[in-house]
Amino acid sequence: MTLNNDALNVLYGNNSQSLFDIMEEGEELARSFIEQMDAYYASPLSSFQDNIIARKFYQQKINHIKIVPYPIDGRVTFGASGTNKCDREIFFKNAKVKVEKTPDIPFRGRQRRVGSAVIEYLQLDIAHMEKRLGKDAIFTFATTGNGDYAIEDAMQVRQVIEHNGVKFAITVKPDGILNYANDPTRRFIFEYKTKASGVVEMNGKLDFGGAQADHLRQVTAEAIVYGINEGFIVYESMHKPSWFSDEERKSVPKTRKTWHNGKPLPDFRAMYFYITDEMKTALLDDLARQAELVYNGEIPVMNVEMTSKCGFCPFKSHCKSTLTNAELTHLIEVEKTMASSNMAGKRDHTNLRNYLAEGV
Ligand code: SF4
């Protein structure tokens, strides 16, 4: 997303002017991060692992393969990546409703597995940066007190918070915390997301809207717990540009070209973020409200907006089976209205239709 006042207003409201300098520097930092990553992957050495680094990395992974149960303190607990869920899903989860395990379309299972595998490789690559790039490695993993890379389980924290008179907990487990060689006092949160939609689509979405709202909520939760307010959400397209330029290839439609002006489209983007106090308060307000709904013990009232979050929800059948007649009638009426309006077939309509079509 290019820096302009509209974009900054969406993210930061009235403080946009004072944040302009921060975001401008942030864009520069994101460029430096990408330059470092590109320098690494351009090097033939990136295909080889250093045995000492790889052993340390995998040993750390092995050390953390264990179950560490949360303390049983009765507090509603939000995972950082689960801070964008609908009120009802949070309620069902905390009411210990049985998770629905239904078979999925096989390619989705393969896609999830690709995402998990690639983050592990990327972390191992970042662990190699200093050795391969020397002084040019300005972003490297911080280390914990016992020498672990500051990633995942080594950085897992569950913090109990009281906000608006409600107590709840947030757990965080970031993809990494980065040191910055040009200013040793600064740390950066690093979150990584793979995209399967295609390199053209990924760039289009990031240029138009910046980092995803749910990803920003995730790093806001991490910022609250760690007190680190800046970092990068890094997106990598699993679909890569054509190996050689496709600009002249007539068989590739204009909108599907993966090269432009002699260069491949970026398949790897770093979106700098800076989390303000207002963003933290807005998230905490929302989590406190959801926690209170759980403590009050009443299933939250269903609304149309919630159906935008059903994609990965494991309580679909239960949710639908617990609708009141009035809620179901309302949803059906809204769907009919949408179907006969210019909203027909658009995202909101499709979400609602999918929800209503789910079997109970
Ligand atoms: S099915 Fe949709 S509306 Fe129901 S709990 Fe899940 S996300 Fe919420």
Side-chain angles (χ1 to χ4, degrees):
M1 183 159 59
T2 39
L3 274 180
N4 58 48
N5 282 340
D6 284 350
L8 286 169
N9 273 327
V10 169
L11 282 172
Y12 301 111
N14 292 334
N15 295 324
S16 59
Q17 198 50 50
S18 60
L19 280 158
F20 192 84
D21 291 345
I22 292 175
M23 295 305 288
E24 201 168 40
E25 192 218 3
E27 287 215 337
E28 195 50 52
L29 289 164
R31 257 193 298 277
S32 302
F33 179 83
I34 291 294
E35 275 169 22
Q36 173 180 319
M37 299 303 283
D38 281 352
Y40 178 83
Y41 289 110
S43 163
L45 287 176
S46 65
S47 303
F48 302 98
Q49 289 179 1
D50 176 278
N51 283 347
I52 295 172
I53 295 171
R55 210 173 286 127
K56 172 175 154 57
F57 181 84
Y58 287 118
Q59 190 57 54
Q60 176 174 331
K61 289 261 168 195
I62 290 168
N63 293 344
H64 287 284
I65 299 179
K66 56 188 170 190
I67 293 172
V68 185
Y70 293 149
I72 304 172
D73 58 7
R75 302 288 168 217
V76 173
T77 300
F78 298 91
S81 59
T83 49
N84 197 40
K85 294 187 183 300
C86 100
D87 296 352
R88 287 168 72 89
E89 181 175 345
I90 296 295
F91 183 89
F92 296 142
K93 179 175 170 246
N94 283 280
K96 305 272 182 285
V97 171
K98 199 158 175 251
V99 167
E100 292 158 21
K101 289 190 175 145
T102 46
D104 205 347
I105 306 173
F107 86 86
R108 291 186 185 157
R110 288 191 283 272
Q111 185 56 45
R112 282 193 287 271
R113 161 174 139 293
V114 165
S116 309
V118 178
I119 175 58
E120 192 164 305
Y121 265 103
L122 180 64
Q123 287 165 330
L124 181 55
D125 290 340
I126 293 175
H128 277 80
M129 293 285 162
E130 212 168 348
K131 166 114 189 170
R132 297 291 187 233
L133 300 177
K135 285 203 170 79
D136 290 336
I138 54 174
F139 295 101
T140 52
F141 279 135
T143 47
T144 65
N146 66 4
D148 275 357
Y149 296 114
I151 58 172
E152 314 262 357
D153 303 81
M155 290 302 294
Q156 183 164 9
V157 176
R158 178 179 186 268
Q159 185 172 319
V160 176
I161 290 169
E162 182 162 358
H163 183 77
N164 293 344
V166 185
K167 269 194 182 173
F168 56 91
I170 297 179
T171 57
V172 294
K173 195 160 90 160
D175 289 329
I177 302 293
L178 298 170
N179 280 340
Y180 179 48
N182 292 346
D183 183 350
T185 64
R186 281 167 90 173
R187 299 278 180 279
F188 293 82
I189 292 170
F190 164 70
E191 279 299 337
Y192 172 73
K193 309 287 173 189
T194 51
K195 285 282 159 196
S197 52
V199 70
V200 176
E201 285 78 3
M202 181 186 84
N203 281 292
K205 276 194 178 164
L206 291 176
D207 290 340
F208 181 72
Q212 269 177 234
D214 56 331
H215 298 158
L216 279 169
R217 279 172 78 95
Q218 178 180 355
V219 293
T220 302
E222 291 168 348
I224 290 167
V225 173
Y226 294 127
I228 300 172
N229 293 330
E230 57 183 341
F232 308 107
I233 303 174
V234 174
Y235 293 90
E236 179 168 1
S237 170
M238 294 296 95
H239 166 234
K240 300 296 176 191
S242 167
W243 203 259
F244 299 106
S245 174
D246 55 9
E247 283 181 281
E248 303 301 326
R249 290 226 311 262
K250 294 208 166 32
S251 58
V252 182
K254 249 187 189 168
T255 53
R256 309 304 311 159
K257 303 271 188 208
T258 59
W259 286 62
H260 184 63
N261 286 342
K263 286 187 184 160
L265 295 182
D267 61 309
F268 194 85
R269 301 274 302 265
M271 312 305 285
Y272 173 83
F273 63 82
Y274 183 83
I275 305 300
T276 63
D277 288 347
E278 288 76 13
M279 291 164 84
K280 291 180 188 176
T281 303
L283 181 67
L284 290 172
D285 284 349
D286 212 26
L287 300 185
R289 183 188 58 77
Q290 287 189 322
E292 199 162 29
L293 288 170
V294 174
Y295 297 138
N296 287 344
E298 276 178 36
I299 300 178
V301 175
M302 179 70 195
N303 63 48
V304 175
E305 200 268 322
M306 286 176 179
T307 62
S308 67
K309 300 185 178 181
C310 300
F312 296 104
C313 176
F315 303 113
K316 291 191 184 103
S317 300
H318 183 77
C319 175
K320 214 172 147 195
S321 70
T322 53
L323 288 179
T324 62
N325 285 338
E327 285 170 330
L328 186 56
T329 307
H330 174 66
L331 294 182
I332 291 170
E333 276 169 7
V334 174
E335 194 280 325
K336 276 187 193 152
T337 310
M338 282 181 168
S340 57
S341 74
N342 60 5
M343 295 181 83
K346 297 208 171 129
R347 182 178 293 229
D348 290 347
H349 179 224
T350 309
N351 289 337
L352 177 54
R353 215 178 35 196
N354 287 344
Y355 177 83
L356 289 170
E358 286 284 339
V360 178

